[in-house]
Amino acid sequence: MSAPRPLLRGRRKAVNALALGLASFATLLGLVVLVWILGTTLIHGAAALGPHLITQMTPPPGAAGGLANAIFGSTLLVLVAVLVGAPIGVLAGTHLAEYGRAGPFAELVRFVNDILLSAPSVVIGLFVYQIVVRPSGHFSGWAGAVALGFILLPVVVRTTDETMRLVPISLREATLALGAPKWRMITQVIYPAARVGILTGLLLGIARISGETAPLLFTALNNQYWSMDLGHPLANVPVVIFQFALSPYDSWHSLAWAGALLLTVFVLVVSVLARTLLRGRTN
Amino acid sequence: MQTVMQQVSVAQPSRPAPSAVPAARVASAGARGDLIFGGLARMATAFVLLVLAGIALATLIGGWPAFARFGASFVARTAWDPVQRDFGALVPIYGTIVTAVLSMLLAVPIAFGIAIFLTEVAPRPLAGPISAAIELLAGIPSIIYGMWGLFVFVPFMADWVDPWLAASLGRLPVLGALFSGPPLGLGMLTAGIILGVMVVPFVAAVMRDVFTLVPSALRESAFALGATRWEVVWHVVLPYTRTAVVGGIFLGLGRALGETMAVTFVLGNAHDFNLSLLAPSTSIAAAIANEFTEADSATYLSALIALGFILFVVTFIVLVFAKLLLLRLARQAGR
């Protein structure tokens, strides 16, 4: 840095003010877009809200209807995805934190897991199409749930690994010194200690998969009728939004907005909940 | 017995294993439990590796008929004719790259600004809530961005931005080709801007996190020499975190390349090659999402899956590069 000659000082101050001003402006821009998107969704979505959303099925073009089958289908898909993906994710996270630690295998898995975390969800949909839909011959709820499970998996692996590594080593030493085998130490001491963090990871994962659309297009597809059968195409909110929003019908548009509002509120509430839990733990 | 002893010593290598003699009976039951539990955990971990390999393999196999039929020229041809079953990937590849690059041109400066604001400008009580608000932006599902793009941002571009661009930059001799055509509001520019908005929170979060890793002694000594806040950022913070900042940018690029719903709504799904950023186009992800359920021949389906394979390979390379850069700073900071 040059010596602070008086002439230069004014210029440097001006550059500083300009740069910090632009930085503040960039932040303002981000907040404006956030308000713009949320505001649009709220205004259009609130206008279409009503009890019909949860009592009626998705309608054919021009007719009145709701989202009951789609809301149920989405709930089912997410639930099954969590039941399938979460145990595998927690176990893998456990292995990384308790068995692998800093070894080269664990480092490789962490690396691969981080890649999976950012992998395009549309490709994961194609993957599940190849391994589930194509062999079985038809689109199905199971395929959709598996696709969502694959997206949930890396989120759970990462948060489980990270929170379990935060559990103090002295807890492990105390348990082992009492003669407990390692698996008892993990299930009865480490899991309870890391409970909040693991739960946070699950919530973040649920927030992530609830809005996923692309992978469901080639797996669960859609279903105009009420169905509880995971063996067949299953209605779900994201794909309904996609199809209705791109249609030329006003009644479908308004249902798409209603679905968008429900989805956004659900996802944001879950992720805020997750963050609040996380903050409670670190404080 | 042996396994218990071994695993105890793995968990705490620097300490002698506690004597397990008084608990021999319990220990043998424990050994079996450890074998089962540890085995399950190891299988789950291997499963993570398997998923990544499976994605690459399944999309390669699914796309193989297309690769075999069209050869290497698949990626270099612009044909996309479902009737003649003649497919080339150049237009979607071009659309993917152009929208991703546009999004980064927009997102990187804004994310940098937000990171500076959060770490240098904002007073403590303000930084937390603003940080959370920006992270909310990352939490909004991409289909919501798509809807907002289609119903709000596309008309905004068509009414205000596109006509103005066509009338000003569109008149320039060479550059003009990029901004010609009717103001539809759809196209690569709109898609690039929406992608940029989506990517900003990811890049900003990485930059903010790595900026806080700079040792305060470094920053303080620069301040003590009389540097302004901007000079500290530019001459101290940025050089120290350079590799990680680039890593964060590539992480954002990886997201932008693979993002589907947000661009599918606003690209217009046109397979005609067009230089103009204002003309309807398509991207790999948008083509797959739009056409997959309409693919009426095995070749068509295979061409779409082949596109998916190409997308996976490209994002994989970008993400690996990003992670390697981020790991370098993490090591440097001694974490």
Side-chain angles (χ1 to χ4, degrees):
Chain A
M1 254 157 277
S2 53
R5 276 180 292 159
L7 257 178
L8 272 175
R9 199 178 298 150
R11 208 180 71 90
R12 287 176 46 213
K13 275 193 168 163
V15 168
N16 181 53
L18 180 72
L20 297 187
L22 283 176
S24 313
F25 178 71
T27 311
L28 191 68
L29 209 61
L31 296 178
V32 165
V33 172
L34 178 72
V35 171
W36 194 3
I37 294 175
L38 290 183
T40 310
T41 312
L42 189 65
I43 289 168
H44 288 278
L49 281 186
H52 62 280
L53 290 179
I54 51 168
T55 57
Q56 295 178 28
M57 305 300 129
T58 47
L67 296 168
N69 50 341
I71 293 171
F72 176 78
S74 269
T75 314
L76 197 60
L77 285 176
V78 170
L79 213 64
V80 175
V82 169
L83 288 178
V84 173
I88 302 179
V90 169
L91 271 176
T94 305
H95 184 256
L96 293 181
E98 299 296 325
Y99 294 87
R101 279 272 153 166
F105 180 67
E107 284 302 320
L108 174 73
V109 174
R110 282 191 189 109
F111 192 87
V112 165
N113 191 64
D114 279 359
I115 306 272
L116 277 181
L117 207 56
S118 304
S121 60
V122 66
V123 178
I124 292 175
L126 291 178
F127 169 51
V128 174
Y129 175 83
Q130 284 287 337
I131 62 166
V132 180
V133 178
R134 189 166 262 190
S136 71
H138 56 89
F139 296 101
S140 68
W142 287 117
V146 168
L148 294 186
F150 280 137
I151 298 169
L152 178 83
L153 179 73
V155 183
V156 177
V157 172
R158 184 172 180 162
T159 45
T160 304
D161 177 27
E162 280 179 352
T163 40
M164 286 182 73
R165 276 191 292 167
L166 286 180
V167 175
I169 194 89
S170 53
L171 265 183
R172 293 189 179 81
E173 291 173 344
T175 320
L176 292 175
L178 287 173
K182 188 160 182 167
W183 68 277
R184 280 192 169 269
M185 168 195 93
I186 293 170
T187 51
Q188 297 189 335
V189 177
I190 311 292
Y191 279 161
R195 195 180 50 219
V196 177
I198 296 175
L199 190 65
T200 306
L202 260 179
L203 288 177
L204 286 176
I206 290 174
R208 168 100 195 262
I209 63 175
S210 305
E212 278 295 347
T213 315
L216 294 180
L217 286 173
F218 336 124
T219 52
L221 202 61
N222 199 356
N223 189 337
Q224 206 186 320
Y225 306 103
W226 178 269
S227 167
M228 297 169 68
D229 183 2
L230 281 165
H232 289 98
L234 194 65
N236 57 87
V237 176
V239 173
V240 168
I241 296 176
F242 178 61
Q243 291 181 346
F244 282 16
L246 283 176
S247 78
Y249 313 109
D250 279 340
S251 61
W252 275 14
H253 287 172
S254 101
L255 273 178
W257 279 116
L261 179 60
L262 292 180
L263 191 63
T264 310
V265 168
F266 177 76
V267 168
L268 292 187
V269 165
V270 171
S271 43
V272 166
L273 193 68
R275 275 173 222 290
T276 320
L277 275 176
L278 203 67
R279 206 164 308 127
R281 191 198 60 192
T282 41
N283 276 355
Chain B
M1 190 72 172
Q2 188 104 42
T3 45
V4 175
M5 300 289 274
Q6 273 170 359
Q7 278 169 0
V8 166
S9 62
V10 166
Q12 15 174 266
S14 58
R15 299 184 178 223
S19 163
V21 178
R25 202 162 41 96
V26 182
S28 78
R32 199 162 53 238
D34 267 336
L35 218 62
I36 297 170
F37 187 80
L40 280 176
R42 195 164 296 122
M43 266 158 58
T45 314
F47 186 71
V48 173
L49 294 182
L50 215 66
V51 171
L52 190 82
I55 294 173
L57 210 66
T59 48
L60 178 62
I61 292 171
W64 190 253
F67 285 126
R69 176 160 173 179
F70 303 112
S73 69
F74 180 66
V75 296
R77 289 165 60 246
T78 61
W80 192 267
D81 189 343
V83 179
Q84 304 290 325
R85 293 182 191 171
D86 185 20
F87 300 99
L90 186 61
V91 175
I93 290 176
Y94 179 73
T96 302
I97 292 173
V98 171
T99 50
V101 168
L102 281 176
S103 76
M104 296 320 284
L105 287 179
L106 181 79
V108 169
I110 291 182
F112 185 50
I114 291 175
I116 295 177
F117 181 83
L118 289 177
T119 53
E120 299 289 338
V121 183
R124 272 285 153 77
L126 209 60
I130 290 183
S131 210
I134 299 292
E135 277 170 19
L136 273 194
L137 209 50
I140 298 174
S142 65
I143 187 157
I144 308 296
Y145 281 92
M147 268 194 94
W148 172 78
L150 181 66
F151 289 109
V152 179
F153 199 62
V154 164
F156 172 78
M157 292 292 285
D159 291 345
W160 299 98
V161 183
D162 285 7
W164 177 78
L165 280 176
S168 52
L169 293 175
R171 299 254 168 92
L172 297 175
V174 180
L175 216 59
L178 288 177
F179 301 99
S180 60
L184 299 172
L186 298 164
M188 291 189 282
L189 182 63
T190 309
I193 293 174
I194 293 178
L195 272 184
V197 172
M198 290 193 66
V199 166
V200 159
F202 290 101
V203 183
V206 173
M207 287 185 179
R208 179 200 60 198
D209 291 348
V210 300
F211 284 179
T212 57
L213 285 182
V214 177
S216 38
L218 272 181
R219 290 162 37 88
E220 280 159 15
S221 27
F223 279 127
L225 286 171
T228 62
R229 278 189 185 277
W230 166 249
E231 283 164 348
V232 170
V233 170
W234 193 249
H235 295 289
V236 178
V237 174
L238 203 54
Y240 187 84
T241 55
R242 195 175 359 176
T243 52
V245 165
V246 176
I249 291 171
F250 273 82
L251 212 58
L253 181 64
R255 292 251 170 197
L257 287 167
E259 177 46 50
T260 312
M261 298 326 288
V263 294
T264 304
F265 277 92
V266 301
L267 264 175
N269 198 33
H271 275 280
D272 315 308
F273 187 81
N274 199 325
L275 259 186
S276 174
L277 301 178
L278 309 185
S281 176
T282 193
S283 77
I284 293 179
I288 299 172
N290 262 321
E291 300 170 38
F292 199 83
T293 45
E294 292 162 16
D296 50 6
S297 65
T299 315
Y300 196 174
L301 204 62
S302 170
L304 288 171
I305 299 176
L307 281 182
F309 176 72
I310 295 171
L311 179 65
F312 178 73
V313 170
V314 173
T315 47
F316 179 79
I317 294 170
V318 168
L319 291 172
V320 166
F321 189 56
K323 284 301 299 175
L324 289 176
L325 288 174
L326 284 169
L327 278 177
R328 249 173 72 177
L329 183 84
R331 278 202 201 106
Q332 190 182 333
R335 278 200 308 177

